[in-house]
Amino acid sequence: AFVVTSTVPKDRTPSDEYNLQLRREQDNARSIGAATSPDRYRVDTGTSAFGPTVRVRLLNIGRDDPDEPFPVARPLLDVPDEPLYSLSVHRLFVHGGNRYEIAVLAVPAEGESRTALEARADHLADTMVTSLQTCTVRLEASKLEAGEPAPPAD
């Protein structure tokens, strides 16, 4: 599992950034779906303690490129959706001046179904989101108690 974070550009609000992330993932899903199958790249939305969340699931992710590691790059294997070699699930959200991505890359155990693998990866990703957000809230509260300035509002 991976956690990636970066700063929201100064000219974008958290809402603008979330909408841009959602639109980008939906565009990727449409183009990948047209070239492979509609199930290869799935995007939907959810909510978390920090607000709206983009949820992504990809089938048959390839190996890392040292110059563009997963999840910054998401190389898809040039194979059919079945048999399943791997899948990844992603949770993208924005909080204050930061954007976050939780990414889980999963490989099926022998005999494990795609449904079971996806449920396992979803559970890990959602647990990581909850943990990260809980820790972030506690850190922000302790900084406020110490007299440090509050983070930018969402």
Side-chain angles (χ1 to χ4, degrees), residues 21-34:
Q21 287 179 335
L22 177 58
R23 190 169 43 254
R24 185 178 302 130
E25 294 298 343
Q26 289 170 332
D27 289 347
N28 287 342
R30 273 190 291 279
S31 61
I32 297 296

Side-chain angles (χ1 to χ4, degrees), residues 113-127:
S113 71
R114 178 166 66 172
T115 302
L117 179 62
E118 188 170 348
R120 183 166 53 92
D122 277 335
H123 178 73
L124 178 57
D126 292 338
T127 299

Side-chain angles (χ1 to χ4, degrees), residues 1-152:
F2 303 85
V3 177
V4 178
T5 184
S6 60
T7 304
V8 174
K10 291 186 186 284
D11 63 338
R12 287 190 209 144
T13 67
S15 177
D16 291 341
E17 183 63 26
Y18 169 80
N19 289 324
L20 181 64
Q21 287 179 335
L22 177 58
R23 190 169 43 254
R24 185 178 302 130
E25 294 298 343
Q26 289 170 332
D27 289 347
N28 287 342
R30 273 190 291 279
S31 61
I32 297 296
T36 59
S37 79
D39 203 36
R40 177 62 63 100
Y41 197 121
R42 191 177 69 210
V43 177
D44 63 13
T45 59
T47 58
S48 69
F50 287 173
T53 303
V54 178
R55 299 168 48 92
V56 177
R57 195 268 294 129
L58 302 164
L59 298 179
N60 290 330
I61 298 295
R63 295 190 164 273
D64 269 349
D65 177 332
D67 294 326
E68 294 182 328
F70 177 85
V72 175
R74 300 173 185 165
L76 296 174
L77 295 171
D78 187 17
V79 296
D81 292 350
E82 297 293 336
L84 181 65
Y85 295 96
S86 61
L87 68 78
S88 65
V89 296
H90 307 256
R91 304 293 185 263
L92 296 91
F93 57 92
V94 180
H95 177 67
N98 296 300
R99 52 189 167 207
Y100 297 87
E101 178 176 358
I102 303 291
V104 174
L105 181 59
V107 176
E110 189 170 328
E112 185 175 26
S113 71
R114 178 166 66 172
T115 302
L117 179 62
E118 188 170 348
R120 183 166 53 92
D122 277 335
H123 178 73
L124 178 57
D126 292 338
T127 299
M128 290 180 66
V129 166
T130 299
S131 179
L132 175 68
Q133 292 179 352
T134 300
C135 290
T136 300
V137 166
R138 288 182 183 153
L139 179 62
E140 290 171 353
S142 68
K143 286 182 175 185
L144 285 176
E145 289 173 7
E148 294 183 31

